């Protein structure tokens, strides 16, 4: 019997990403010929790792893709899409975007999609890079004048007494009349076309398994993000692990091109990369009977 090849897969320590991979990570589904090895890191860390080609499959901020397109292809599965929502800019007291000129604003990494959206809307803000799950606390403590919320922080910040200045994602959607592709899943091109297709299909089947067994999957992934005490998991997963994530729809593909053009216009990338997407052939992932993970 041939030895299974290790396949390194990295995602953020948040409930929606964990939901995508739960069936594969817990052994409910198999990917014959491969042994997935999972890593969880903040998006800012994954973005830097993608620039070095560390993982075979990884989550990234959409704005990073033009810099890694030569090494990685886009997967049609696992896209985080905001339809009228996305990263949110918050503060402790009532403010307007114009009030943030010259003020300290926390961002969850440079570059990230939240950072990009803030830069577009308020380029005069003084950006302070810090861990995404520490920004709300820093704003509440008065250490920052404002902060960009991502992941479950999008839903949790009101519990910390913070106020929304603007939904940066909604602002982008309104300006461009398109949904916002916040995050992407990408795969190394040097795995080969056949392998990329099979792996994409396996990830899709894992997400579909989660959607088909939502209650049990949500129970397992609720330890991520703000955890059960945050009471955010179910709503957050519904926002970013859904039909848009199962297979990237046409309007999201159009939105990617618009986003990449904006990145070039800001001088963050020299070229708009090709939008070549691995669709994922149907494969047998050999579902196992459910068991306690």
């Amino acid at each position: 019997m041939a030895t299974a090849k290790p396949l390194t897969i990295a995602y953020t320590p948040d409930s929606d990403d964990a939901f995508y991979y739960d069936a594969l990570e817990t052994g409910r589904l198999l990917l014959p010929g491969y042994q997935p090895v999972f890593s969880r890191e903040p998006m800012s860390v994954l973005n830097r790792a993608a620039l070095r080609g560390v993982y075979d499959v990884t989550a990234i901020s959409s704005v990073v893709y033009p810099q890694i397109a030569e090494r990685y292809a886009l997967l049609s599965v696992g896209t985080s899409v905001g339809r009228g929502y996305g990263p949110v800019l918050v503060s402790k007291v009532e403010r307007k975007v114009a009030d943030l000129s010259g003020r300290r604003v926390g961002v969850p990494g440079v570059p990230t999609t939240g950072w990009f959206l803030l830069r577009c809307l308020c380029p005069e803000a003084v950006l302070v890079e810090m861990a995404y799950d520490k920004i709300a606390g820093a704003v509440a403590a008065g250490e920052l004048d404002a902060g960009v919320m991502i992941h479950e922080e999008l839903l949790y910040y009101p519990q910390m007494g913070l106020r929304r200045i603007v939904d940066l994602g909604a602002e982008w959607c309104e300006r461009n009349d398109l949904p916002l592709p916040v995050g992407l899943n990408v795969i190394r091109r040097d795995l080969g076309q056949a392998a990329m297709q099979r792996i994409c299909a396996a990830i899709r089947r894992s997400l579909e398994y989660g959607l088909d067994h939502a209650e049990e999957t949500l129970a397992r992934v609720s330890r991520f993000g703000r955890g059960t005490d945050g009471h955010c998991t179910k709503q957050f997963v519904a926002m970013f692990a859904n039909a848009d994530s199962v297979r990237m729809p046409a309007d999201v593909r159009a939105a990617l091109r618009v986003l990449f053009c904006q990145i070039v216009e800001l001088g963050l990338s020299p070229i708009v990369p090709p939008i070549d997407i691995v669709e994922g052939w149907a494969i047998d992932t050999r579902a196992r009977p459910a068991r306690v993970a």
Side-chain angles (χ1 to χ4, degrees):
M1 181 179 295
T3 304
K5 300 176 183 177
L7 181 73
T8 55
I9 299 175
Y11 63 85
T12 66
D14 217 56
S15 53
D16 61 330
D17 276 13
F19 192 93
Y20 297 154
Y21 291 109
D22 179 75
L24 281 172
E25 192 163 11
T26 61
R28 286 165 171 81
L29 295 177
L30 300 178
L31 177 52
Y34 292 94
Q35 179 58 55
V37 179
F38 291 92
S39 298
R40 290 182 289 273
E41 297 287 355
M43 186 62 84
S44 58
V45 175
L46 294 184
N47 287 339
R48 290 192 292 270
L51 293 171
R52 305 192 310 273
V54 172
Y55 299 107
D56 296 322
V57 176
T58 184
I60 62 163
S61 298
S62 296
V63 297
V64 172
Y65 186 70
Q67 299 178 60
I68 65 170
E70 187 173 344
R71 178 177 280 154
Y72 285 96
L74 296 163
L75 289 176
S76 62
V77 61
T79 308
S80 296
V81 179
R83 290 192 176 273
Y85 53 84
V88 174
L89 182 63
V90 306
S91 64
K92 187 176 181 179
V93 298
E94 186 173 347
R95 297 187 191 275
K96 297 180 179 179
V97 173
D99 299 333
L100 297 177
S101 179
R103 293 185 179 271
R104 287 164 53 85
V105 181
V107 294
V110 178
T112 54
T113 303
W115 160 82
F116 169 79
L117 296 173
L118 176 64
R119 178 172 172 174
C120 290
L121 203 60
C122 188
E124 300 85 8
V126 178
L127 305 185
V128 180
E129 185 176 4
M130 62 192 313
Y132 78 93
D133 56 350
K134 303 298 182 184
I135 296 176
V139 175
E143 299 167 8
L144 296 171
D145 296 298
V148 176
M149 303 291 101
I150 64 170
H151 299 324
E152 287 191 9
E153 305 298 286
L154 291 174
L155 302 176
Y156 189 78
Y157 73 84
Q159 298 185 46
M160 301 186 69
L162 303 180
R163 305 182 180 192
R164 181 176 69 181
I165 299 174
V166 63
D167 186 321
L168 298 168
E171 182 77 13
W172 192 93
C173 292
E174 183 176 351
R175 288 187 177 191
N176 296 281
D177 194 26
L178 287 165
L180 173 64
V182 181
L184 301 166
N185 268 359
V186 297
I187 187 167
R188 286 184 63 107
R189 296 181 186 274
D190 58 11
L191 290 170
Q193 189 62 226
M196 289 194 295
Q197 297 290 351
R198 293 182 64 245
I199 293 164
C200 180
I203 297 170
R204 175 172 295 111
R205 183 66 189 96
S206 181
L207 173 53
E208 290 173 336
Y209 186 100
L211 293 170
D212 291 342
H213 303 82
E215 186 174 347
E216 66 177 70
T217 305
L218 286 169
R220 286 191 294 274
V221 304
S222 64
R223 69 186 187 276
F224 296 102
R226 282 288 176 173
T228 55
D229 292 341
H231 305 290
C232 299
T233 301
K234 184 175 182 179
Q235 182 180 355
F236 182 74
V237 169
M239 290 169 66
F240 291 109
N242 50 39
D244 285 334
S245 311
V246 172
R247 187 180 296 275
M248 189 189 298
D251 59 350
V252 175
R253 299 176 190 223
L256 275 178
R257 179 163 295 280
V258 170
L259 184 64
F260 294 160
C261 287
Q262 292 172 353
I263 292 167
V264 171
E265 289 170 5
L266 279 180
L268 303 176
S269 174
I271 61 168
V272 176
I275 311 295
D276 55 332
I277 298 174
V278 179
E279 301 294 350
W281 300 328
I283 64 167
D284 177 13
T285 49
R286 291 195 285 173
R288 287 180 166 181
R291 59 173 175 79
V292 178

